[in-house]
Amino acid sequence: MRTYRTARSVRLSRTSGPRGRLLAAAGVALAALALTACEDGTGTQDEGASRPTTASPSAGGKAPGGTGDTDNAGSTGSTGSSGSTGTTGTGGDKSSGSGSGSGSGSGASQGRVLCNGSNTTVTAQAVPRPLNHLLITVKNTGSRTCDLTYYPVLRFDEMQWVPQPVEASHPQAVTALAPGESGYAGVLLSAADGSGDGGTTGHKLTVGFQGTTPNSSGGAAATPVLPAKGFYYDSTLSVTYWQQNMDDALTY
């Protein structure tokens, strides 16, 4: 153990008389004990006044410096899968709440989103009437209302042109789908009188979704399963705008 002489002990050592020497020795001993306690980690510390306990975020209180109660964190929605998710896809409607303490509320209170391949399921099926028609059905599998804007952008296989919409089918309002609801579009595959050109059979169909402005991207596309024989189409291939009900989609 190392012994250090403090300034106080030095001054006391210079004091004349036995009393001075006694005080000096006591000062040196106390200083040595204090240093020894600090070096071996067993020294005691002044606990001071009791400190208030900070609530833990996991206990439902506000985290220090936080903006809200952690109990209010939003719940995971569907895929994109909301939130959502619903079907899996690119984030679309998968609305999970923030765990930062600010809370995000339920998916239904966060407004409408665009329908696309990440928050819907899409099917394509032939119909007996009208002749040479295909029905596209989009079902909202998310937790929020989604909008089907304009018309689907269709592409069979590696087709290099875009089928044009039937302008007479333009609805008066955007087709909005609440969770679980479906929207529709009718597709004229080929001319009944055989007047179309370049007839061929498509085995893969890609359904694209538009954004809030014409020809803008509305998110992930969908590739509905087609029958093994595919669908025959020609240059008269056209599609209706999105409709709220099936009958309207098959009117044109």
Side-chain angles (χ1 to χ4, degrees):
M1 178 183 68
R2 291 174 293 180
T3 302
Y4 297 86
R5 299 185 64 187
T6 64
R8 176 181 175 86
S9 66
V10 172
R11 289 195 300 271
L12 289 173
S13 65
R14 295 176 181 176
T15 305
S16 60
R19 184 180 179 183
R21 287 192 296 272
L22 180 59
L23 292 174
V28 171
L30 289 173
L33 288 173
L35 289 172
T36 302
C38 292
E39 289 176 355
D40 65 11
T42 61
T44 59
Q45 295 181 351
D46 183 9
E47 294 296 330
S50 60
R51 299 176 182 176
T53 302
T54 302
S56 169
S58 61
K62 293 183 180 180
T67 59
D69 294 340
T70 56
D71 285 348
N72 293 331
S75 59
T76 302
S78 162
T79 315
S81 294
S82 238
S84 357
T85 159
T87 59
T88 57
T90 56
D93 194 30
K94 214 169 187 175
S95 336
S96 56
S98 171
S100 62
S102 59
S104 61
S106 64
S109 65
Q110 295 180 19
R112 283 152 60 162
V113 296
L114 292 173
C115 300
N116 55 45
S118 70
N119 55 14
T120 64
T121 55
V122 181
T123 59
Q125 62 185 85
V127 292
R129 281 180 171 58
L131 190 64
N132 300 339
H133 271 66
L134 179 71
L135 177 68
I136 297 177
T137 303
V138 174
K139 182 177 181 180
N140 181 358
T141 56
S143 63
R144 290 184 280 177
T145 296
C146 69
D147 291 335
L148 286 169
T149 55
Y150 305 104
Y151 54 89
V153 179
L154 304 182
R155 184 185 185 190
F156 278 106
D157 299 321
E158 301 303 320
M159 190 168 65
Q160 299 300 309
W161 54 282
V162 178
Q164 293 302 299
V166 179
E167 290 299 336
S169 67
H170 200 304
Q172 294 183 347
V174 172
T175 297
L177 306 180
E181 290 186 342
S182 297
Y184 308 89
V187 181
L188 171 64
L189 292 169
S190 59
D193 59 4
S195 59
D197 298 325
T200 187
T201 299
H203 295 280
K204 177 183 177 182
L205 175 63
T206 301
V207 179
F209 296 84
Q210 299 191 56
T212 55
T213 57
N215 302 316
S216 62
S217 175
T223 53
V225 177
L226 303 185
K229 65 179 182 179
F231 289 113
Y232 177 84
Y233 67 93
D234 62 21
S235 60
T236 62
L237 179 66
S238 57
V239 61
T240 69
Y241 282 78
W242 292 113
Q243 306 294 325
Q244 203 76 49
N245 63 73
M246 184 187 307
D247 290 340
D248 289 343
L250 296 177
T251 299
Y252 305 92

